[in-house]
Amino acid sequence: MADTLETQLSDPKNDIEWRIARLGPWFHNLHLPGGIRTAPEHPLGDFPAFKWKTIASSLPSDLSGWSALDIGCNAGFYSFELARRGARVTGIDLDEHYLRQARWASEIVGNGDRVDFIRMTVYDLARSSEKYDLVLFMGLFYHLRYPLLALDIISGKVKKLMVFQTLTMPGEDVIDPEENLPIDNRERMLDSGWPKMAFIEKSLAGDPTNWWAPNHSAVTAILRSSGFRVLARIGHEIYLCEPHSTDPWDMAELKRNELASVFGTEDGNPFPEEGL
């Protein structure tokens, strides 16, 4: 995440605030006991609490007995909120800086014992047989060089619900493309409602890992092609999904073979025990 969206706690006044300052800078403004916050001067405001307020009402208030996966968990804000509702949560992130923050915070918040934080990438999930009732895939898609590969992997991990959020480019129109677009009719792709994803070769908002910006039509199309049914658009750039019972285009075998080429185990199956 770009440094411009991280912040350092200034003027710490007690032991916890000094620890927050030493663990900084922070991207998640965690709300800790005693009214202490990790990033009270966050440039986006109370982030990501305002995003959680958008999705909270779309998820069950009681997640007891549910397993949850928070992909790109950062300092663990969403993980702790899901644990507060009773879920057993696994938070994964590649950045050890954020994981140190999350593991420390888990000792402070009241439900940290319900959360495990693991250093791994979304692609590493291909080598795991674990499935989860609920998956949060928030704010990571557009940072990935291989975003559809990630979604194909995740589609084999969701049992009930997924919350998906991504940076998008402007455009609300949606068209229903032909079942088979003639090759000499490619100008159709220039229509405003055609699913499009802009590639960002250089940098956006000072962050060179911002690679992609799909439009709304592309987001829904990509989710469908990855094996999800979009239940609702529950907020700006945020979608609630459930897994399809079957691949909508009967492409499961193709996906399985492609994933096996990249992640395959000795038996050629990237998903031990259960498969895609």
Side-chain angles (χ1 to χ4, degrees):
M1 185 58 61
D3 290 343
T4 54
L5 294 182
E6 294 177 326
T7 186
Q8 188 78 33
L9 183 67
S10 60
D11 193 24
K13 296 181 174 59
N14 53 52
D15 290 344
I16 292 181
E17 290 187 348
W18 275 109
R19 181 63 170 163
I20 291 171
R22 287 195 294 271
L23 285 169
W26 294 76
F27 183 57
H28 277 187
N29 182 33
L30 303 182
H31 295 213
L32 302 178
I36 296 174
R37 301 188 181 190
T38 59
E41 300 174 0
H42 199 294
L44 296 180
D46 192 6
F47 180 87
F50 69 83
K51 282 192 178 292
W52 172 249
K53 289 178 181 178
T54 298
I55 69 176
S57 62
S58 297
L59 299 177
S61 58
D62 184 0
L63 293 173
S64 299
W66 284 47
S67 59
L69 176 65
D70 183 5
I71 303 172
C73 62
N74 203 275
F77 183 95
Y78 298 118
S79 296
F80 296 133
E81 290 296 333
L82 296 178
R84 185 172 291 117
R85 295 191 176 196
R88 181 73 208 181
V89 187
T90 299
I92 66 171
D93 205 292
L94 180 61
D95 196 322
E96 189 60 40
H97 170 75
Y98 295 138
L99 291 173
R100 281 195 296 271
Q101 295 175 343
R103 290 170 182 143
W104 172 77
S106 69
E107 301 173 2
I108 305 297
V109 301
N111 50 28
D113 60 340
R114 300 189 62 82
V115 185
D116 295 314
F117 292 107
I118 302 172
R119 186 174 188 266
M120 63 186 299
T121 73
V122 63
Y123 307 114
D124 291 323
L125 293 170
R127 296 187 176 92
S128 170
S129 61
E130 292 291 327
K131 292 192 175 186
Y132 303 87
D133 296 300
L134 171 64
V135 172
L136 296 191
F137 190 35
M138 303 277 292
L140 181 60
F141 179 84
Y142 52 96
H143 291 297
L144 301 173
R145 285 284 292 183
Y146 314 104
L148 270 68
L149 174 61
L151 269 177
D152 282 348
I153 293 169
I154 295 169
S155 68
K157 302 300 174 184
V158 182
K159 292 196 288 186
K160 295 180 181 177
L161 295 173
M162 179 180 72
V163 179
F164 177 84
Q165 184 270 331
T166 183
L167 172 80
T168 61
M169 65 175 173
E172 298 294 314
D173 295 341
V174 176
I175 65 171
D176 185 15
E178 297 88 333
E179 290 293 328
N180 183 24
L181 183 70
I183 196 169
D184 58 357
N185 193 25
R186 281 170 285 174
E187 66 274 8
R188 181 90 161 93
M189 298 178 185
L190 297 175
D191 292 350
S192 63
W194 188 273
K196 299 181 181 70
M197 189 156 70
F199 177 69
I200 305 163
E201 181 184 2
K202 296 183 180 179
S203 183
L204 177 68
D207 188 341
T209 73
N210 284 328
W211 291 110
W212 307 99
N215 60 13
H216 167 61
S217 182
V219 172
T220 55
I222 288 169
L223 288 169
R224 289 193 301 269
S225 73
S226 298
F228 292 99
R229 178 181 294 105
V230 178
L231 299 175
R233 190 180 185 186
I234 58 178
H236 177 57
E237 303 180 328
I238 305 176
Y239 301 78
L240 182 67
C241 313
E242 67 179 5
H244 276 291
S245 56
T246 59
D247 191 300
W249 285 279
D250 197 24
M251 294 178 64
E253 185 65 27
L254 174 61
K255 292 178 183 177
R256 183 181 295 109
N257 290 338
E258 290 181 342
L259 289 171
S261 295
V262 181
F263 302 104
T265 57
E266 290 183 2
D267 62 1
N269 186 352
F271 295 106
E273 298 180 10
E274 296 192 26
L276 180 64

